[in-house]
Amino acid sequence: MTDNFIVPQRLRAWTALASHAQRLIGRPLPTLFADDPGRAKRLSLSLGSPVEPDRAAIVADFSKHLLDDAVLAELIQLAREAHLDEGIHCLFTGEQVNFTEGRAAAHMAMRGSCPPPPGNSTGVSSLAMRAFAFALRDGNLIGSTGKPLRHLVNIGIGGSDLGPRLVSEALTDLYANESSPRVDFVANIDPRDIAAVLERSDATDTLFLVSSKSFGTAETLANAEAARQWLRASLGSDADIGAHFAAVSNAEKTAAAFGIQPDRIFPLPEWVGGRYSVWSAIGLPVLAAIGGAFDEFLSGGWAMDEHFRTTPFERNIPVWLGLIGLWNTDYLAIETLAALPYAHGLRSFPAWLQQLEMESNGKHTLRDGSESLLHTAPIVWGGAGTTGQHAFYQLLYQGTRKVALDFIVPVGEDEPRQRALVENALAQAAALMAGRDFNASRAALARRGLPAAEIERLAPHLTCTGNQPSTTLLLPKLDAFHLGALLALYEHKVFVQSWIWGINPFDQYGVELGKEMARALALGHAGAQDASTARLAAVAESFRQQL
Ligand code: F6P
């Protein structure tokens, strides 16, 4: 990878964008529409349907952001000056874009969008993992008592949980059939997490899949051990416990030492990072749940890869999503991004996106080792609509902060509640942009027939600031293809931003510090910590003794 990196603030476009921000800050979003009737159409992009080229598979509306054509042109110029084209080329040709760990990040190879990095292949592990998943679906995996295994429990955390959990939740309704095993997920080291699953399980037909790229993650190992003990207690100490385990891991020796049969350990390539791994053997629970539709999921990812790789920046959805996110973060000082999926199946999307954005771009050290003077990843949070409307939207309407919003809206069938779901999404985006000023608040109170003094007293409490900027992503429906495209879209968004900020989105050294501290506490080295932590550890110990 040639090092063309220049800190963003030294790029000419950076300074130009700062003047545009000064020009636009304070401008009410609705006035941008009033002054420009073509705005909504011009500031929308679409990914075409691979089956019916005239129809859109995803429509991305960016018109509710505080920007105009001049800003967009300058953002695209920023991407050019930052040599984003070279970054995309490096990503897709297997260069070591993960420059701190000396690795490629070629998860797109799992969806057929690029060759695996030189000297590698994706084939063997994928094929074996597929054969195993289909054997489970066909009832050909037999437990220690001779019963077919019909219940898969995925034990994993972070990328070894969030991706397969999200995709299974999103797609099981549509694709599950009589071949599909029941699929559960266990992640937390809190004993109640696995206990809640085991309470509803029958050991004779349960298969535990230990998903851990490293096979060294404390939570996963503790839960795998709990599963082993439960199997022994349920099936007897002589039972062939190995029949109830499989693993997805690169640490094949460690997994085998745990007792997993070598032909049931499915590796994933080193160049597939945890949070980018649902496309690989980590997707085994999804494959088991939805069977052949997994290939449609990969096709959706492939379609977005092709769009990202080949579409000029002027019409490129991940490039716009990344650039506009950067504009919000660094020029408009908007610190958080709320992910608002309007689909029950996407309820885990905010958690998945949190890891993707915050573990990838939540970093301060740049490619040249210097410190970033800019904010990098936004704080990502959110929740599914419409339930979130009755919980945290109040702050979006009347709180004191600007929040960037991503509405993700699969349109779905013509059914009254499904229509209401979509109408709610569009209405919230509109209302959060329009707000309600003092006069409109007074008028609303007057319509209720309140006395004049009461109207004056209450009107300030009804005002909503509006001007919350949002992106709306409309999908025809929540199926495997569109979900694949959606997840790949955000993966590429994160890459675009990382390239311009100049950080490595593919390592995660930060999380190691907390793990080291937890190990020190477990070893009773609390005294080595600060006085507060040492005291809290002592109090926790005294609580334990009292129970
Ligand atoms: O601690 C962070 C992390 O390494 C994530 O990046 C990863 O997705 C998760 O832990 C799980 O890692 P593993 O698959 O190795 O258990």
Side-chain angles (χ1 to χ4, degrees):
M1 190 166 79
T2 60
D3 208 343
N4 256 332
F5 172 63
I6 306 168
V7 290
Q9 301 94 312
R10 297 223 191 99
L11 300 172
R12 192 208 56 80
W14 192 270
T15 319
L17 281 161
S19 331
H20 283 297
Q22 283 190 347
R23 172 173 65 82
L24 285 170
I25 284 174
R27 179 98 190 257
L29 281 173
T31 64
L32 297 175
F33 285 85
D35 294 353
D36 177 5
R39 175 180 176 89
K41 187 158 184 236
R42 241 184 18 262
L43 299 185
S44 284
L45 297 180
S46 60
L47 170 78
S49 157
V51 190
E52 296 166 84
D54 292 342
R55 296 181 68 175
I58 291 189
V59 169
D61 178 359
F62 297 98
S63 64
K64 293 192 185 77
H65 283 280
L66 186 61
L67 47 75
D68 55 17
D69 294 330
V71 170
L72 258 173
E74 210 60 73
L75 283 168
I76 287 166
Q77 179 58 25
L78 179 74
R80 294 228 161 80
E81 289 178 21
H83 304 285
L84 178 62
D85 51 347
E86 184 190 321
I88 296 172
H89 177 76
C90 291
L91 181 71
F92 280 86
T93 52
E95 292 214 31
Q96 296 190 348
V97 285
N98 180 350
F99 53 84
T100 52
E101 297 177 315
R103 276 185 216 146
H107 41 277
M108 301 84 58
M110 307 307 299
R111 40 202 198 224
S113 309
C114 63
N120 290 265
S121 80
T122 57
V124 184
S125 73
S126 292
L127 290 176
M129 164 307 244
R130 275 168 181 260
F132 186 79
F134 279 100
L136 176 62
R137 286 176 63 82
D138 294 342
N140 292 335
L141 288 188
I142 308 298
S144 59
T145 64
K147 257 175 90 174
L149 301 174
R150 299 299 303 144
H151 178 201
L152 177 71
V153 180
N154 188 79
I155 298 178
I157 200 163
S160 301
D161 167 70
L162 293 165
R165 186 190 289 260
L166 162 64
V167 179
S168 302
E169 283 174 358
L171 300 181
T172 297
D173 280 356
L174 190 60
Y175 299 103
N177 57 23
E178 62 287 350
S179 301
S180 307
R182 184 179 133 206
V183 177
D184 280 306
F185 291 87
V186 168
N188 203 321
I189 199 165
D190 182 335
R192 288 306 304 157
D193 194 3
I194 192 162
V197 171
L198 298 183
E199 277 157 17
R200 296 182 283 113
S201 303
D202 173 356
T204 61
D205 74 355
T206 300
L207 172 73
F208 292 98
L209 181 68
V210 187
S211 289
S212 175
K213 188 176 171 188
S214 62
F215 218 88
T217 303
E219 292 90 334
T220 301
L221 296 184
N223 280 322
E225 185 51 38
R228 178 156 62 184
Q229 285 172 19
W230 177 78
L231 285 169
R232 285 216 181 101
S234 311
L235 300 172
S237 51
D238 294 344
D240 174 16
I241 301 287
H244 296 264
F245 272 110
V248 177
S249 184
N250 277 359
E252 295 170 66
K253 283 197 183 129
T254 324
F258 176 84
I260 297 178
Q261 295 166 19
D263 62 342
R264 287 174 164 219
I265 302 171
F266 306 105
L268 58 152
E270 208 45 65
W271 35 266
V272 174
R275 51 196 173 275
Y276 301 86
S277 64
V278 65
W279 320 92
S280 73
I282 290 287
L284 199 158
V286 182
L287 191 59
I290 68 170
F294 190 74
D295 288 332
E296 290 170 40
F297 173 66
L298 296 179
S299 299
W302 172 87
M304 187 54 77
D305 291 338
E306 282 298 287
H307 170 89
F308 180 50
R309 201 174 57 79
T310 62
T311 308
F313 292 172
E314 284 77 3
R315 308 301 301 158
N316 192 312
I317 306 176
V319 170
W320 280 37
L321 194 62
L323 290 173
I324 293 171
L326 183 142
W327 166 252
N328 284 335
T329 300
D330 290 321
Y331 290 94
L332 305 184
I334 300 175
E335 300 227 308
T336 82
L337 169 68
L340 307 172
Y342 273 70
H344 182 65
L346 294 179
R347 61 194 174 282
S348 293
F349 181 84
W352 174 83
L353 190 65
Q354 248 170 5
Q355 188 197 16
L356 181 71
E357 296 227 10
M358 295 169 81
E359 196 168 84
S360 297
N361 283 343
K363 294 166 192 166
H364 64 256
T365 306
L366 305 183
R367 253 149 80 182
D368 60 3
S370 66
E371 177 99 2
S372 176
L373 299 175
L374 299 166
H375 278 310
T376 53
I379 297 163
V380 178
W381 59 290
T386 62
T387 48
Q389 292 173 203
H390 301 272
F392 59 81
Y393 277 46
Q394 167 60 35
L395 177 145
L396 302 177
Y397 279 109
Q398 291 192 308
T400 53
R401 292 179 179 86
K402 280 261 183 304
V403 179
L405 313 169
D406 279 5
F407 287 91
I408 294 145
V409 191
V411 175
E413 74 271 29
D414 194 0
E415 190 275 338
R417 285 166 302 164
Q418 182 62 31
R419 284 188 79 98
L421 185 64
V422 175
E423 285 155 10
N424 265 279
L426 304 188
Q428 296 298 327
L432 283 161
M433 176 174 79
R436 178 169 51 203
D437 66 14
F438 189 73
N439 284 337
S441 301
R442 283 163 104 190
L445 290 163
R447 280 195 296 276
R448 288 191 213 160
L450 293 181
E454 198 59 356
I455 291 175
E456 293 308 312
R457 187 177 76 82
L458 287 179
H461 297 278
L462 264 70
T463 59
C464 297
T465 321
N467 291 311
Q468 297 289 24
S470 64
T471 298
T472 298
L473 299 174
L474 271 190
L475 284 54
K477 60 179 173 175
L478 183 56
D479 63 7
F481 178 86
H482 293 99
L483 184 63
L486 179 73
L487 301 196
L489 164 60
Y490 277 93
E491 287 179 356
H492 293 319
K493 170 209 172 173
V494 162
F495 181 76
V496 167
Q497 295 187 332
S498 75
W499 189 267
I500 294 173
W501 282 323
I503 53 187
N504 178 5
F506 301 114
D507 63 16
Q508 57 282 320
Y509 290 110
V511 278
E512 296 308 321
L513 180 60
K515 289 185 194 173
E516 281 167 28
M517 201 72 93
R519 275 194 292 272
L521 279 176
L523 291 170
H525 296 166
Q529 320 305 330
D530 60 273
S532 159
T533 308
R535 183 166 178 280
L536 290 168
V539 174
E541 188 54 39
S542 75
F543 283 173
R544 244 175 248 128
Q545 300 309 323
Q546 288 161 27
L547 285 176

